[in-house]
Amino acid sequence: MTTNRKVLMLPGDGIGPEVMHEVSRVIKWMNDNCGTAFDIQEGLCGGAAYDAHGTSLTNETLTEAMASDAILFGSVGGPKWDNVPREERPEAGLLRLRKEMDLFANLRPATVLDALADASTLKKEVVSGLDIMIVRELTAGVYFGEPRGTDTLPDGTRRGFDTEVYTQTEIERVARVSFELARKRSNKVHSVEKANVMESGVFWREVITALHAAEYSDVDLLHMYADNCAMQLVRNPKQFDVIVTNNLFGDVLSDCAAMLTGSLGMLPSASLGAPGPNGQRKALYEPVHGSAPDIAGQRLANPSAMVLSYAMMLRYSFDMCEEAELVEQAVQNVLASGLRTADIKQERTAPVSTDVIGDALLSELSKLTG
Ligand code: NAD
């Protein structure tokens, strides 16, 4: 099939191929029944690529990734590759992809589906109906800033240091993604930093405030310190719509928000780059979870996070919002029917396998479109 919707699938390691298999079935079903017409290529990344080619990402796969409209990524890593050279570790393949594609905006939705409101460790009334989008800057900040390292002080004791650094451009581009997302949601952005104690935080606030005034004054903008944000996420998470923050705070806050929702097996993500000449952004979609070596090969993995990552691809790379909602509704209906993998199973019900969830998803898609 020739289309302009080229998608590269990189299933990776562990449960990656198992959950990706269920997405392949959903894509085939939608190609056959909804005219989505995706042209899917498959490649190796992570440990699987290392075993086949001695590197976690070949130049050929990278070239294919750069030429694709979107990437669907499973997960990489596992104890099998613990002793391979650091630069060829499975995770290095994913980091190289993110870097080469300059995927600077990491979108992590924290959504509590009705059927799972009881799975959160917080009270049901605090989380039911929750729908937050955390936008984490992914390619700059303290994880990349120079200088970094360790040295020895004149008195002979040692010190370790990293540098938090953001340019105006780096802040503006991630803020733009956030304001534009908010316009399609509840029109509210919380910008999170530590302007009370960090110079880079003062600068972050200045840049966001100026951009808001110049281009996005129709969106509600609020500023919040990162420590307060962590507290508010647990106290009253429904006050948030879109949260935009730097790499370090985003790392911590998105994991905190993730646990409001109950299970790793339910959480999708997207990483977006700058728009190309046709307006389309480079993009990679992946579940938040890893390769789960403890359950790999046992058909125990919950494929929902991977399937919901595909739904994010439909929405953010191809503007196919109706199709995205269809997939999300099918996931909700399967959960509501009581079918659960072990990670989210309810008391007194037996867990089902990955492929049973896949079968149920296809059957829900048929019902919803029938
Ligand atoms: P993990 O997310 O793989 O697993 C954590 C726990 O959650 C495990 O008990 C696992 O069984 C469970 N779990 C995860 N996903 C699940 C799913 N879909 N269904 C049911 N249960 C699920 O994290 P980890 O154990 O810390 O890491 C395992 C490997 O994955 C490591 O090699 C790590 O480096 C790698 N990893 C990769 C990525 C990525 O590819 N982006 C992300 C995180 C971890």
Side-chain angles (χ1 to χ4, degrees):
M1 191 189 310
T2 313
T3 66
N4 57 357
R5 295 181 190 144
K6 281 169 70 82
V7 174
L8 178 64
M9 244 180 203
L10 299 173
D13 309 317
I15 63 169
E18 299 168 39
V19 294
M20 191 69 88
H21 177 67
E22 302 311 323
V23 172
S24 302
R25 296 171 68 201
V26 171
I27 292 179
K28 178 170 182 335
W29 189 94
M30 292 185 77
N31 273 353
D32 292 346
N33 295 279
C34 306
T36 40
F38 285 115
D39 175 8
I40 306 285
Q41 304 295 318
E42 206 172 308
L44 296 178
C45 189
Y50 181 78
D51 289 347
H53 304 294
T55 173
S56 54
L57 183 75
T58 64
N59 290 335
E60 291 72 27
T61 306
L62 178 61
T63 304
E64 231 176 300
M66 298 299 274
S68 301
D69 294 310
I71 295 177
L72 278 172
F73 193 92
S75 53
V76 289
K80 183 179 175 195
W81 300 282
D82 275 352
N83 296 319
V84 308
R86 191 176 162 75
E87 59 282 7
E88 294 304 348
R89 293 283 294 269
E91 295 77 6
L94 175 59
L95 293 178
R96 185 167 173 219
L97 267 177
R98 285 183 182 153
K99 181 168 181 285
E100 298 286 340
M101 296 171 72
D102 198 15
L103 302 174
F104 62 82
N106 182 225
L107 278 53
R108 292 258 307 248
T111 310
V112 174
L113 306 178
D114 289 346
L116 279 183
D118 286 322
S120 172
T121 46
L122 296 193
K123 288 186 193 130
K124 189 172 176 176
E125 61 270 24
V126 175
V127 295
S128 68
L130 183 73
D131 181 9
I132 305 178
M133 179 68 80
I134 300 199
V135 182
R136 165 188 171 191
E137 200 292 324
L138 200 59
T139 52
V142 73
Y143 293 171
F144 298 93
E146 297 284 349
R148 56 200 279 122
T150 53
D151 61 14
T152 303
L153 296 168
D155 69 358
T157 59
R158 299 180 68 226
R159 66 172 184 170
F161 49 92
D162 296 278
T163 304
E164 168 75 357
V165 53
Y166 270 102
T167 64
Q168 180 179 347
T169 308
E170 287 164 345
I171 299 170
E172 283 178 349
R173 65 184 187 170
V174 76
R176 278 204 171 85
V177 170
S178 312
F179 285 128
E180 276 155 30
L181 276 171
R183 277 180 174 161
K184 293 184 181 165
R185 296 170 47 95
S186 300
N187 216 34
K188 184 163 69 170
V189 170
H190 278 81
S191 169
V192 170
E193 26 60 8
K194 287 282 288 176
N196 49 343
V197 285
M198 294 173 74
E199 292 303 322
S200 57
V202 173
F203 183 62
W204 178 283
R205 190 177 284 215
E206 271 172 28
V207 172
I208 298 242
T209 303
L211 180 71
H212 174 255
E215 298 177 34
Y216 297 100
S217 55
D218 55 304
V219 180
D220 289 340
L221 171 66
L222 298 100
H223 301 278
M224 192 177 264
Y225 298 140
D227 48 345
N228 186 26
C229 183
M231 199 171 70
Q232 295 298 333
L233 273 172
V234 183
R235 193 183 74 85
N236 175 21
K238 285 191 249 178
Q239 70 185 285
F240 297 108
D241 177 24
V242 175
I243 294 174
V244 61
T245 188
N246 70 16
N247 206 340
L248 173 64
F249 296 145
D251 194 359
V252 177
L253 294 172
S254 62
D255 269 19
C256 175
M259 282 326 293
L260 302 173
T261 71
S263 167
L264 265 181
M266 295 302 304
L267 294 166
S269 78
S271 300
L272 307 180
N278 61 357
Q280 197 174 28
R281 293 175 185 277
K282 291 244 174 295
L284 182 147
Y285 300 87
E286 60 177 325
V288 167
H289 62 71
S291 57
D294 53 333
I295 57 165
Q298 300 172 50
R299 298 163 61 230
L300 293 175
N302 183 350
S304 303
M306 189 73 242
V307 172
L308 292 170
S309 301
Y310 162 65
M312 288 187 84
M313 178 188 94
L314 289 168
R315 180 172 286 118
Y316 297 116
S317 278
F318 299 103
D319 213 12
M320 299 166 88
C321 296
E322 268 177 39
E323 288 82 353
E325 277 162 26
L326 177 67
V327 173
E328 287 159 355
Q329 192 60 53
V331 170
Q332 289 234 40
N333 289 3
V334 170
L335 286 172
S337 75
L339 287 178
R340 305 280 172 93
T341 41
D343 55 313
I344 50 171
K345 102 177 178 60
Q346 295 160 307
E347 277 172 45
R348 293 188 295 279
T349 57
V352 301
S353 64
T354 311
D355 40 307
V356 168
I357 297 290
D359 293 344
L361 277 170
L362 297 187
S363 135
E364 283 302 330
L365 286 169
S366 293
K367 276 192 229 160
L368 287 164
T369 52

mmCIF file with all atom_site columns, all heavy atoms in Angstrom, residues 231-247:
data_model
loop_
_atom_site.group_PDB
_atom_site.id
_atom_site.type_symbol
_atom_site.label_atom_id
_atom_site.label_alt_id
_atom_site.label_comp_id
_atom_site.label_asym_id
_atom_site.label_entity_id
_atom_site.label_seq_id
_atom_site.pdbx_PDB_ins_code
_atom_site.Cartn_x
_atom_site.Cartn_y
_atom_site.Cartn_z
_atom_site.occupancy
_atom_site.B_iso_or_equiv
_atom_site.pdbx_formal_charge
_atom_site.auth_seq_id
_atom_site.auth_comp_id
_atom_site.auth_asym_id
_atom_site.auth_atom_id
_atom_site.pdbx_PDB_model_num
ATOM 1   N N   . MET A 1 231 ? 3.092   18.723 45.531 1.00 0.00 ? 231 MET A N   1
ATOM 2   C CA  . MET A 1 231 ? 2.097   18.622 46.607 1.00 0.00 ? 231 MET A CA  1
ATOM 3   C C   . MET A 1 231 ? 0.679   18.728 46.048 1.00 0.00 ? 231 MET A C   1
ATOM 4   O O   . MET A 1 231 ? -0.209  17.944 46.395 1.00 0.00 ? 231 MET A O   1
ATOM 5   C CB  . MET A 1 231 ? 2.361   19.763 47.592 1.00 0.00 ? 231 MET A CB  1
ATOM 6   C CG  . MET A 1 231 ? 1.758   19.577 48.933 1.00 0.00 ? 231 MET A CG  1
ATOM 7   S SD  . MET A 1 231 ? 2.372   20.859 50.031 1.00 0.00 ? 231 MET A SD  1
ATOM 8   C CE  . MET A 1 231 ? 1.573   22.312 49.399 1.00 0.00 ? 231 MET A CE  1
ATOM 9   N N   . GLN A 1 232 ? 0.501   19.681 45.122 1.00 0.00 ? 232 GLN A N   1
ATOM 10  C CA  . GLN A 1 232 ? -0.838  19.889 44.559 1.00 0.00 ? 232 GLN A CA  1
ATOM 11  C C   . GLN A 1 232 ? -1.292  18.697 43.714 1.00 0.00 ? 232 GLN A C   1
ATOM 12  O O   . GLN A 1 232 ? -2.478  18.406 43.616 1.00 0.00 ? 232 GLN A O   1
ATOM 13  C CB  . GLN A 1 232 ? -0.868  21.163 43.703 1.00 0.00 ? 232 GLN A CB  1
ATOM 14  C CG  . GLN A 1 232 ? -0.639  22.441 44.470 1.00 0.00 ? 232 GLN A CG  1
ATOM 15  C CD  . GLN A 1 232 ? -1.706  22.702 45.519 1.00 0.00 ? 232 GLN A CD  1
ATOM 16  O OE1 . GLN A 1 232 ? -2.845  22.257 45.382 1.00 0.00 ? 232 GLN A OE1 1
ATOM 17  N NE2 . GLN A 1 232 ? -1.349  23.408 46.574 1.00 0.00 ? 232 GLN A NE2 1
ATOM 18  N N   . LEU A 1 233 ? -0.331  18.003 43.080 1.00 0.00 ? 233 LEU A N   1
ATOM 19  C CA  . LEU A 1 233 ? -0.689  16.835 42.268 1.00 0.00 ? 233 LEU A CA  1
ATOM 20  C C   . LEU A 1 233 ? -1.325  15.749 43.126 1.00 0.00 ? 233 LEU A C   1
ATOM 21  O O   . LEU A 1 233 ? -2.177  14.993 42.662 1.00 0.00 ? 233 LEU A O   1
ATOM 22  C CB  . LEU A 1 233 ? 0.558   16.259 41.584 1.00 0.00 ? 233 LEU A CB  1
ATOM 23  C CG  . LEU A 1 233 ? 0.940   16.867 40.242 1.00 0.00 ? 233 LEU A CG  1
ATOM 24  C CD1 . LEU A 1 233 ? 2.295   16.339 39.775 1.00 0.00 ? 233 LEU A CD1 1
ATOM 25  C CD2 . LEU A 1 233 ? -0.120  16.594 39.180 1.00 0.00 ? 233 LEU A CD2 1
ATOM 26  N N   . VAL A 1 234 ? -0.892  15.677 44.367 1.00 0.00 ? 234 VAL A N   1
ATOM 27  C CA  . VAL A 1 234 ? -1.435  14.651 45.244 1.00 0.00 ? 234 VAL A CA  1
ATOM 28  C C   . VAL A 1 234 ? -2.664  15.169 45.998 1.00 0.00 ? 234 VAL A C   1
ATOM 29  O O   . VAL A 1 234 ? -3.587  14.432 46.307 1.00 0.00 ? 234 VAL A O   1
ATOM 30  C CB  . VAL A 1 234 ? -0.340  14.187 46.243 1.00 0.00 ? 234 VAL A CB  1
ATOM 31  C CG1 . VAL A 1 234 ? -0.857  13.060 47.114 1.00 0.00 ? 234 VAL A CG1 1
ATOM 32  C CG2 . VAL A 1 234 ? 0.904   13.741 45.495 1.00 0.00 ? 234 VAL A CG2 1
ATOM 33  N N   . ARG A 1 235 ? -2.674  16.477 46.269 1.00 0.00 ? 235 ARG A N   1
ATOM 34  C CA  . ARG A 1 235 ? -3.770  17.061 47.048 1.00 0.00 ? 235 ARG A CA  1
ATOM 35  C C   . ARG A 1 235 ? -5.026  17.262 46.199 1.00 0.00 ? 235 ARG A C   1
ATOM 36  O O   . ARG A 1 235 ? -6.116  16.833 46.548 1.00 0.00 ? 235 ARG A O   1
ATOM 37  C CB  . ARG A 1 235 ? -3.334  18.421 47.618 1.00 0.00 ? 235 ARG A CB  1
ATOM 38  C CG  . ARG A 1 235 ? -4.258  18.975 48.684 1.00 0.00 ? 235 ARG A CG  1
ATOM 39  C CD  . ARG A 1 235 ? -3.783  20.347 49.136 1.00 0.00 ? 235 ARG A CD  1
ATOM 40  N NE  . ARG A 1 235 ? -4.053  21.386 48.152 1.00 0.00 ? 235 ARG A NE  1
ATOM 41  C CZ  . ARG A 1 235 ? -5.201  22.056 48.041 1.00 0.00 ? 235 ARG A CZ  1
ATOM 42  N NH1 . ARG A 1 235 ? -6.195  21.805 48.867 1.00 0.00 ? 235 ARG A NH1 1
ATOM 43  N NH2 . ARG A 1 235 ? -5.355  22.974 47.119 1.00 0.00 ? 235 ARG A NH2 1
ATOM 44  N N   . ASN A 1 236 ? -4.842  17.899 45.030 1.00 0.00 ? 236 ASN A N   1
ATOM 45  C CA  . ASN A 1 236 ? -5.996  18.232 44.198 1.00 0.00 ? 236 ASN A CA  1
ATOM 46  C C   . ASN A 1 236 ? -5.593  18.221 42.718 1.00 0.00 ? 236 ASN A C   1
ATOM 47  O O   . ASN A 1 236 ? -5.487  19.274 42.089 1.00 0.00 ? 236 ASN A O   1
ATOM 48  C CB  . ASN A 1 236 ? -6.531  19.614 44.617 1.00 0.00 ? 236 ASN A CB  1
ATOM 49  C CG  . ASN A 1 236 ? -7.653  20.067 43.710 1.00 0.00 ? 236 ASN A CG  1
ATOM 50  O OD1 . ASN A 1 236 ? -8.286  19.251 43.032 1.00 0.00 ? 236 ASN A OD1 1
ATOM 51  N ND2 . ASN A 1 236 ? -7.896  21.363 43.668 1.00 0.00 ? 236 ASN A ND2 1
ATOM 52  N N   . PRO A 1 237 ? -5.344  17.018 42.169 1.00 0.00 ? 237 PRO A N   1
ATOM 53  C CA  . PRO A 1 237 ? -4.785  16.958 40.807 1.00 0.00 ? 237 PRO A CA  1
ATOM 54  C C   . PRO A 1 237 ? -5.716  17.519 39.743 1.00 0.00 ? 237 PRO A C   1
ATOM 55  O O   . PRO A 1 237 ? -5.249  17.943 38.689 1.00 0.00 ? 237 PRO A O   1
ATOM 56  C CB  . PRO A 1 237 ? -4.533  15.456 40.598 1.00 0.00 ? 237 PRO A CB  1
ATOM 57  C CG  . PRO A 1 237 ? -5.369  14.750 41.604 1.00 0.00 ? 237 PRO A CG  1
ATOM 58  C CD  . PRO A 1 237 ? -5.510  15.668 42.769 1.00 0.00 ? 237 PRO A CD  1
ATOM 59  N N   . LYS A 1 238 ? -7.017  17.561 40.034 1.00 0.00 ? 238 LYS A N   1
ATOM 60  C CA  . LYS A 1 238 ? -7.942  18.000 38.976 1.00 0.00 ? 238 LYS A CA  1
ATOM 61  C C   . LYS A 1 238 ? -7.874  19.505 38.710 1.00 0.00 ? 238 LYS A C   1
ATOM 62  O O   . LYS A 1 238 ? -8.503  19.992 37.776 1.00 0.00 ? 238 LYS A O   1
ATOM 63  C CB  . LYS A 1 238 ? -9.368  17.562 39.318 1.00 0.00 ? 238 LYS A CB  1
ATOM 64  C CG  . LYS A 1 238 ? -9.561  16.053 39.073 1.00 0.00 ? 238 LYS A CG  1
ATOM 65  C CD  . LYS A 1 238 ? -11.004 15.642 39.152 1.00 0.00 ? 238 LYS A CD  1
ATOM 66  C CE  . LYS A 1 238 ? -11.257 14.790 40.356 1.00 0.00 ? 238 LYS A CE  1
ATOM 67  N NZ  . LYS A 1 238 ? -12.631 14.386 40.555 1.00 0.00 ? 238 LYS A NZ  1
ATOM 68  N N   . GLN A 1 239 ? -7.083  20.243 39.488 1.00 0.00 ? 239 GLN A N   1
ATOM 69  C CA  . GLN A 1 239 ? -6.933  21.685 39.188 1.00 0.00 ? 239 GLN A CA  1
ATOM 70  C C   . GLN A 1 239 ? -6.089  21.898 37.930 1.00 0.00 ? 239 GLN A C   1
ATOM 71  O O   . GLN A 1 239 ? -6.068  22.981 37.374 1.00 0.00 ? 239 GLN A O   1
ATOM 72  C CB  . GLN A 1 239 ? -6.273  22.406 40.369 1.00 0.00 ? 239 GLN A CB  1
ATOM 73  C CG  . GLN A 1 239 ? -4.806  22.037 40.565 1.00 0.00 ? 239 GLN A CG  1
ATOM 74  C CD  . GLN A 1 239 ? -4.199  22.652 41.810 1.00 0.00 ? 239 GLN A CD  1
ATOM 75  O OE1 . GLN A 1 239 ? -3.907  23.831 41.842 1.00 0.00 ? 239 GLN A OE1 1
ATOM 76  N NE2 . GLN A 1 239 ? -4.023  21.839 42.846 1.00 0.00 ? 239 GLN A NE2 1
ATOM 77  N N   . PHE A 1 240 ? -5.349  20.844 37.495 1.00 0.00 ? 240 PHE A N   1
ATOM 78  C CA  . PHE A 1 240 ? -4.425  21.013 36.367 1.00 0.00 ? 240 PHE A CA  1
ATOM 79  C C   . PHE A 1 240 ? -5.057  20.600 35.045 1.00 0.00 ? 240 PHE A C   1
ATOM 80  O O   . PHE A 1 240 ? -5.897  19.705 34.996 1.00 0.00 ? 240 PHE A O   1
ATOM 81  C CB  . PHE A 1 240 ? -3.162  20.164 36.580 1.00 0.00 ? 240 PHE A CB  1
ATOM 82  C CG  . PHE A 1 240 ? -2.352  20.559 37.782 1.00 0.00 ? 240 PHE A CG  1
ATOM 83  C CD1 . PHE A 1 240 ? -2.322  19.758 38.914 1.00 0.00 ? 240 PHE A CD1 1
ATOM 84  C CD2 . PHE A 1 240 ? -1.619  21.739 37.772 1.00 0.00 ? 240 PHE A CD2 1
ATOM 85  C CE1 . PHE A 1 240 ? -1.582  20.120 40.023 1.00 0.00 ? 240 PHE A CE1 1
ATOM 86  C CE2 . PHE A 1 240 ? -0.864  22.110 38.876 1.00 0.00 ? 240 PHE A CE2 1
ATOM 87  C CZ  . PHE A 1 240 ? -0.851  21.300 40.015 1.00 0.00 ? 240 PHE A CZ  1
ATOM 88  N N   . ASP A 1 241 ? -4.602  21.275 33.970 1.00 0.00 ? 241 ASP A N   1
ATOM 89  C CA  . ASP A 1 241 ? -4.938  20.843 32.613 1.00 0.00 ? 241 ASP A CA  1
ATOM 90  C C   . ASP A 1 241 ? -3.609  20.455 31.934 1.00 0.00 ? 241 ASP A C   1
ATOM 91  O O   . ASP A 1 241 ? -3.268  19.285 31.864 1.00 0.00 ? 241 ASP A O   1
ATOM 92  C CB  . ASP A 1 241 ? -5.648  21.987 31.872 1.00 0.00 ? 241 ASP A CB  1
ATOM 93  C CG  . ASP A 1 241 ? -5.957  21.628 30.438 1.00 0.00 ? 241 ASP A CG  1
ATOM 94  O OD1 . ASP A 1 241 ? -6.060  20.428 30.123 1.00 0.00 ? 241 ASP A OD1 1
ATOM 95  O OD2 . ASP A 1 241 ? -6.105  22.557 29.606 1.00 0.00 ? 241 ASP A OD2 1
ATOM 96  N N   . VAL A 1 242 ? -2.825  21.464 31.490 1.00 0.00 ? 242 VAL A N   1
ATOM 97  C CA  . VAL A 1 242 ? -1.498  21.201 30.936 1.00 0.00 ? 242 VAL A CA  1
ATOM 98  C C   . VAL A 1 242 ? -0.459  21.761 31.909 1.00 0.00 ? 242 VAL A C   1
ATOM 99  O O   . VAL A 1 242 ? -0.602  22.883 32.397 1.00 0.00 ? 242 VAL A O   1
ATOM 100 C CB  . VAL A 1 242 ? -1.328  21.887 29.559 1.00 0.00 ? 242 VAL A CB  1
ATOM 101 C CG1 . VAL A 1 242 ? 0.103   21.702 29.043 1.00 0.00 ? 242 VAL A CG1 1
ATOM 102 C CG2 . VAL A 1 242 ? -2.326  21.319 28.558 1.00 0.00 ? 242 VAL A CG2 1
ATOM 103 N N   . ILE A 1 243 ? 0.562   20.946 32.192 1.00 0.00 ? 243 ILE A N   1
ATOM 104 C CA  . ILE A 1 243 ? 1.696   21.415 33.000 1.00 0.00 ? 243 ILE A CA  1
ATOM 105 C C   . ILE A 1 243 ? 2.922   21.419 32.092 1.00 0.00 ? 243 ILE A C   1
ATOM 106 O O   . ILE A 1 243 ? 3.203   20.413 31.446 1.00 0.00 ? 243 ILE A O   1
ATOM 107 C CB  . ILE A 1 243 ? 1.960   20.464 34.190 1.00 0.00 ? 243 ILE A CB  1
ATOM 108 C CG1 . ILE A 1 243 ? 0.786   20.492 35.175 1.00 0.00 ? 243 ILE A CG1 1
ATOM 109 C CG2 . ILE A 1 243 ? 3.280   20.796 34.890 1.00 0.00 ? 243 ILE A CG2 1
ATOM 110 C CD1 . ILE A 1 243 ? 0.896   19.469 36.314 1.00 0.00 ? 243 ILE A CD1 1
ATOM 111 N N   . VAL A 1 244 ? 3.632   22.539 32.027 1.00 0.00 ? 244 VAL A N   1
ATOM 112 C CA  . VAL A 1 244 ? 4.880   22.561 31.247 1.00 0.00 ? 244 VAL A CA  1
ATOM 113 C C   . VAL A 1 244 ? 6.038   22.819 32.197 1.00 0.00 ? 244 VAL A C   1
ATOM 114 O O   . VAL A 1 244 ? 5.964   23.698 33.058 1.00 0.00 ? 244 VAL A O   1
ATOM 115 C CB  . VAL A 1 244 ? 4.852   23.598 30.094 1.00 0.00 ? 244 VAL A CB  1
ATOM 116 C CG1 . VAL A 1 244 ? 4.672   25.024 30.594 1.00 0.00 ? 244 VAL A CG1 1
ATOM 117 C CG2 . VAL A 1 244 ? 6.128   23.503 29.266 1.00 0.00 ? 244 VAL A CG2 1
ATOM 118 N N   . THR A 1 245 ? 7.087   22.013 32.043 1.00 0.00 ? 245 THR A N   1
ATOM 119 C CA  . THR A 1 245 ? 8.207   22.164 32.959 1.00 0.00 ? 245 THR A CA  1
ATOM 120 C C   . THR A 1 245 ? 9.498   21.640 32.343 1.00 0.00 ? 245 THR A C   1
ATOM 121 O O   . THR A 1 245 ? 9.487   21.081 31.246 1.00 0.00 ? 245 THR A O   1
ATOM 122 C CB  . THR A 1 245 ? 7.882   21.476 34.313 1.00 0.00 ? 245 THR A CB  1
ATOM 123 O OG1 . THR A 1 245 ? 8.901   21.800 35.257 1.00 0.00 ? 245 THR A OG1 1
ATOM 124 C CG2 . THR A 1 245 ? 7.774   19.970 34.174 1.00 0.00 ? 245 THR A CG2 1
ATOM 125 N N   . ASN A 1 246 ? 10.593  21.845 33.063 1.00 0.00 ? 246 ASN A N   1
ATOM 126 C CA  . ASN A 1 246 ? 11.893  21.480 32.502 1.00 0.00 ? 246 ASN A CA  1
ATOM 127 C C   . ASN A 1 246 ? 12.131  19.974 32.600 1.00 0.00 ? 246 ASN A C   1
ATOM 128 O O   . ASN A 1 246 ? 11.301  19.213 33.101 1.00 0.00 ? 246 ASN A O   1
ATOM 129 C CB  . ASN A 1 246 ? 13.004  22.305 33.165 1.00 0.00 ? 246 ASN A CB  1
ATOM 130 C CG  . ASN A 1 246 ? 13.230  21.916 34.618 1.00 0.00 ? 246 ASN A CG  1
ATOM 131 O OD1 . ASN A 1 246 ? 12.793  20.857 35.081 1.00 0.00 ? 246 ASN A OD1 1
ATOM 132 N ND2 . ASN A 1 246 ? 13.897  22.767 35.364 1.00 0.00 ? 246 ASN A ND2 1
ATOM 133 N N   . ASN A 1 247 ? 13.294  19.558 32.132 1.00 0.00 ? 247 ASN A N   1
ATOM 134 C CA  . ASN A 1 247 ? 13.616  18.136 32.041 1.00 0.00 ? 247 ASN A CA  1
ATOM 135 C C   . ASN A 1 247 ? 13.617  17.449 33.419 1.00 0.00 ? 247 ASN A C   1
ATOM 136 O O   . ASN A 1 247 ? 12.978  16.403 33.607 1.00 0.00 ? 247 ASN A O   1
ATOM 137 C CB  . ASN A 1 247 ? 15.012  18.034 31.377 1.00 0.00 ? 247 ASN A CB  1
ATOM 138 C CG  . ASN A 1 247 ? 15.213  16.724 30.671 1.00 0.00 ? 247 ASN A CG  1
ATOM 139 O OD1 . ASN A 1 247 ? 14.527  15.750 30.935 1.00 0.00 ? 247 ASN A OD1 1
ATOM 140 N ND2 . ASN A 1 247 ? 16.174  16.685 29.779 1.00 0.00 ? 247 ASN A ND2 1
#
